[in-house]
Amino acid sequence: MSLIKAIGIDLAKSVFSIHGVDTHDKCKLRKTVKRNNLLAEISKLPPCIIGMEACSGAHYWAREFTKLGHDVRIMASKFVIPYRQNEKNDANDAEAICEAVTRPKTRFVSIKSEEQQAVLCLHRIRQGAIKDRTALINRLRGLLAEFGIIMPKGRYPAQHAITSILEDAENDLPMLARELLHDLWQEIKGLNEQILKHDRKLYQLAHQMKAAKRLMSIPGVGEVTATAVVATVCEAKDFDTSRAFSAWIGLVPKQYTTGGQVKWGRISKRGEKHIRTSLIHGARAVIANCKHKTDRTSLWIKELIERRGFKRATVALAAKNARLIWALLRSNNEYQVDYVK
C-alpha cells in the first residue's frame, strides 16, 4: 500500500471531513471525524502534507498538526473553489483542499503563534469598539435630528456638543428622549475609555517588541501599524520582494492588459485591510507635518502632491512605507533618514 502524500481537512465546529491521496493522487483516505478524535486520527498517519482553509481555528490545528511532524499549509478559500467538483458539501470541500494544497501556484498563509494571535485579538477587539462607537454616535445624531437638533460633523465636535445639547432645557427635547439619549451618551463614553485602554496596551506592547520598535522608526508607522505587522507577518522571507508585500496589503494598482496595451487603475485593496488603513492614516499624518522638512522623503512628497494631488501622494507614501517595512523586517536594520545637503 502506497503512503499518503497529502490530506485535505474541511474544518468545522464539531465534525471534520478528511480526504487523503497517495503519491499517484489516488484516494486512500475519505472519512468523517468528530472533533475530539481528530488529533488521534492524524497522529496515526505518517508525516505528510496537510491542507486547510484559512478560517476560525485553522492556526490552532496547524500548530497541533505541526507538533506531530506534518507539513501543514493554510490557504485562502479562493484557491480551493476552482478545484471543487459537483455540489458543495464537506466531503467535496476536503477533496478540493487536498487538490489545491499540492498545486505549485497556491499561496499559503503563515502559521501564527499563540503570542501573535493574542496581539491580533487586541487589534480586533479595538477595531470592534471603534466601530461600535461610530455606530452609536451616528445613532445619536440621527435620533437628535428627529427633534430638529443637528450635531456638528466629526467625532470630536459631535462628542463635545452632546453634553450641552442634553443639558439644554430650552431645546424642547422630551424628557423620555433626553433620558434615553443620556444613556446612549454614557455608552459612548464607556467605549472611549475602553479604546483608550486598548491604545495604552498597544503602546506598551510596541515598546516590548524589538521588531515593532524598529518599524516605528519609519515616519508614518506608529504603535498600531507596527504591532499589527509584527503579529500578522511571521517572516519577511514569505514575500519574495517588497512589491509582493505591498501587493499583499493591497497598495499596488490594478492592472488591465489586453492586446499589448497596459492599463493601470486604482489600488487593488486586496489582502490585509487593517494594515493598509493604518499605513494610509500614518501617511496622512506625515504629509500634514512635512511642509518645513528637508529630508528626501519630504521633498519627494511635496513634489508628488503638486504633480499628482494629495490623495495619490498619500497612497504612494503608504506603499513606500510598506516596502520599507518589508526591508527592515528582512534585514533587521534601522531606518535611516536621508537629508539633502
Side-chain angles (χ1 to χ4, degrees), residues 2-21:
S2 57
L3 296 177
I4 291 178
K5 177 186 70 173
I7 291 176
I9 303 178
D10 183 53
L11 299 179
K13 183 178 180 180
S14 302
V15 180
F16 301 79
S17 292
I18 302 176
H19 184 94
V21 297

Side-chain angles (χ1 to χ4, degrees), residues 275-339:
I275 297 176
R276 181 176 66 252
T277 302
S278 300
L279 283 171
I280 290 175
H281 287 329
R284 288 197 185 103
V286 171
I287 292 176
N289 294 279
C290 73
K291 186 176 181 180
H292 301 292
K293 295 184 178 180
T294 59
D295 58 280
R296 291 189 183 276
T297 301
S298 298
L299 295 177
W300 171 72
I301 291 171
K302 288 184 280 188
E303 188 273 333
L304 189 60
I305 292 174
E306 293 179 2
R307 183 164 50 88
R308 300 292 289 169
F310 176 81
K311 291 184 178 180
R312 288 188 178 91
T314 301
V315 174
L317 179 58
K320 181 183 179 70
N321 283 346
R323 297 188 180 214
L324 287 172
I325 287 172
W326 178 87
L328 294 189
L329 290 176
R330 185 95 175 193
S331 64
N332 293 326
N333 292 332
E334 297 287 342
Y335 174 75
Q336 301 294 329
V337 181
D338 188 7
Y339 291 98

